[in-house]
Amino acid sequence: MKKKTLILGIETSCDETAAAVIEENTGTIPNILSNVVSSQIEVHKEFGGVVPELAARSHIEKIDLIVHKAIRDSGKDLSEMDCIAVTAGPGLIVCLSVGLNFAKSLALSLNKPFVAINHLEGHALSPKLVTDLKFPYLLLLISGGHTQFLSVKKYGKYKRLGTTIDDALGEAFDKTAKMIGIEFPGGPYLEKLAKKGNPERFKLPKPILKKGGCNMSFAGLKTAVLKISKLVKNDEDRNDLAASFQKTIQDILYAKSKIAFKEFRDISKTNQNTFVVAGGVAANKSIRKTLIDVSLEEKFNPIFPPLELCGDNAAMIAMAGLEKLKLKKFDNLNHPAKPRWPLDNKAAFLKGAGVKL
Ligand code: KG4
Ligand code: ZN
């Protein structure tokens, strides 16, 4: 019997040190043999955000242990790996360099193929770890650093339909959380408070809701939260503000998804209406519900990664590695770390993000 392809994935772009082993399957969905994620929440908590130097130091301390654990948990041997896949960007350069150099050393010493992966592509392909996901599809990427609608034609072929013109959605969640006194990382805690609050109590702005196509803006929302947060006196106020903020985000995503659906239909010329939502914020259950509702209304099929694969992990990096390996797109060991690495290069450098308001 032919040996099944094994990929070791490594991820250190921000504050998670992660390694995973996946195995190609006879079907289209691979087996996740191990998926180890070590978070640095405790390291950064007292600073209220990720401190790059501390993050890099923590990656250096843990990378070999995490990779060893991923190999051990997989029940395989390091020598059995067919390819080493690693995040090469975008992210914090001091953090990226740790995983990238570790992966290069492994590939060189074991004489294995090496592939450098775009972290955003990892998120974009993450549902492929559990679902038979076919190209093309519409992608909404909502993470700590990115908020974009993209048309995904095939592996490596992206067209950006819309982007945030200021803060990323995860960033807006984290900053709002901080303003109402929630510890880092705020997003998941804000969701918990929102469950207990009244979403109709505070009226918050929805910037560029009716203009700018499916581009988005969250900075004005943050300023409004800052003003109201000064009046927050007790838990009830806090929960109501969290709920009102989250509801406003849901309303914005609902309206902007409708526009993105139309644009995707116009350019993709396909009846295959698949809507993939990925990235850390895709773990938010209320946001999921809104995006499922709007998809069903507009006859799109919504697909989310399972909760444990929404945030940063190395299984998604191994998944992107497997796709790249199948296409025989190997990388050289001199591949640089790329702190900036847009999926749609053409759109990324447009003046003012190319947004017409
Ligand atoms: O994809 P990710 O793990 O890292 C990046 O690539 O940025 O996303 C992290 C972001 C953080 O801003 C975090 O607060 C947010 O995702 N996040 C959430 C939730 N879980 C994570 N935001 C809202 N609700 C959640 N449940
Ligand atoms: Zn990420």
Side-chain angles (χ1 to χ4, degrees):
M1 204 172 73
K2 190 176 164 274
K3 176 186 171 300
K4 290 179 179 168
T5 304
L6 290 166
I7 315 276
L8 169 64
I10 297 176
E11 153 68 39
T12 63
S13 66
C14 190
D15 59 341
E16 259 96 26
T17 317
V21 175
I22 68 165
E23 178 184 54
E24 190 183 18
N25 219 338
T26 36
T28 46
I29 305 168
N31 296 321
I32 303 176
L33 301 186
S34 64
N35 189 19
V36 185
V37 182
S38 170
S39 169
Q40 302 176 359
I41 288 176
E42 291 308 317
V43 177
H44 304 291
K45 209 172 213 168
E46 64 176 293
F47 304 99
V50 177
V51 183
E53 171 63 29
L54 295 182
R57 200 183 298 179
S58 178
H59 287 310
I60 292 168
E61 282 165 8
K62 285 192 278 188
I63 184 86
D64 54 347
L65 293 173
I66 299 298
V67 171
H68 270 107
K69 181 162 168 45
I71 297 288
R72 204 175 53 234
D73 288 0
S74 75
K76 305 285 178 187
D77 195 83
L78 190 54
S79 61
E80 292 178 84
M81 298 300 124
D82 295 289
C83 176
I84 316 289
V86 62
T87 304
L92 299 165
I93 191 150
V94 283
C95 295
L96 290 165
S97 303
V98 178
L100 191 60
N101 289 335
F102 193 87
K104 285 177 179 177
S105 315
L106 275 183
L108 184 67
S109 58
L110 299 167
N111 195 23
K112 302 281 181 187
F114 163 83
V115 287
I117 300 297
N118 183 318
H119 177 86
L120 306 178
E121 188 139 61
H123 279 302
L125 297 173
S126 58
K128 267 183 167 283
L129 288 160
V130 290
T131 318
D132 181 12
L133 176 65
K134 298 259 189 305
F135 299 114
Y137 55 86
L138 173 67
L139 170 68
L140 171 60
L141 179 63
I142 37 179
S143 70
H146 296 85
T147 303
Q148 298 177 353
F149 284 103
L150 295 139
S151 162
V152 186
K153 205 168 168 199
K154 57 182 180 179
Y155 180 87
K157 199 103 183 91
Y158 298 88
K159 181 173 169 49
R160 195 182 75 194
L161 306 179
T163 181
T164 173
I165 57 170
D166 37 58
D167 294 346
L169 190 50
E171 193 184 350
F173 261 92
D174 294 341
K175 286 181 180 166
T176 296
K178 204 170 175 178
M179 284 187 263
I180 58 178
I182 305 174
E183 278 189 342
F184 168 83
Y189 288 112
L190 194 145
E191 182 183 9
K192 281 192 195 138
L193 294 192
K195 277 201 191 93
K196 298 185 261 179
N198 171 8
E200 306 300 335
R201 167 133 173 237
F202 299 109
K203 294 281 165 272
L204 298 169
K206 295 170 191 163
I208 69 164
L209 191 71
K210 298 210 163 84
K211 53 184 175 175
C214 61
N215 292 292
M216 293 157 277
S217 163
F218 302 106
L221 182 54
K222 193 178 60 191
T223 315
V225 170
L226 178 64
K227 273 193 199 145
I228 300 172
S229 67
K230 303 218 165 89
L231 309 170
V232 166
K233 299 221 161 38
N234 51 38
D235 283 353
E236 189 185 342
D237 293 345
R238 206 161 72 139
N239 296 346
D240 289 350
L241 185 50
S244 302
F245 168 80
Q246 188 173 274
K247 175 70 171 48
T248 307
I249 298 293
Q250 287 170 253
D251 291 348
I252 295 172
L253 292 180
Y254 178 91
K256 295 294 180 177
S257 297
K258 279 201 170 194
I259 300 168
F261 289 161
K262 186 176 176 326
E263 289 188 18
F264 176 76
R265 274 204 181 104
D266 288 349
I267 61 161
S268 72
K269 298 183 182 72
T270 164
N271 294 328
Q272 195 183 307
N273 292 329
T274 306
F275 183 36
V276 171
V277 185
V281 188
N284 184 295
K285 296 212 182 71
S286 303
I287 289 180
R288 280 184 178 232
K289 184 175 177 323
T290 297
L291 295 173
I292 290 170
D293 289 347
V294 69
S295 301
L296 299 181
E297 273 173 39
E298 299 293 324
K299 304 205 168 25
F300 266 74
N301 175 26
I303 294 182
F304 298 82
L307 291 183
E308 67 280 9
L309 295 175
C310 285
D312 290 347
N313 65 85
M316 68 183 194
I317 303 304
M319 181 70 240
L322 179 57
E323 292 290 311
K324 216 168 164 178
L325 183 73
K326 281 195 220 157
L327 297 169
K328 299 202 173 1
K329 289 186 167 185
F330 303 114
D331 290 298
N332 290 324
L333 290 177
N334 62 1
H335 193 288
K338 295 165 97 170
R340 231 182 102 74
W341 190 359
L343 287 176
D344 179 352
N345 221 7
K346 276 193 200 136
F349 295 100
L350 292 176
K351 203 165 169 226
V355 178
K356 292 184 193 74
L357 294 177

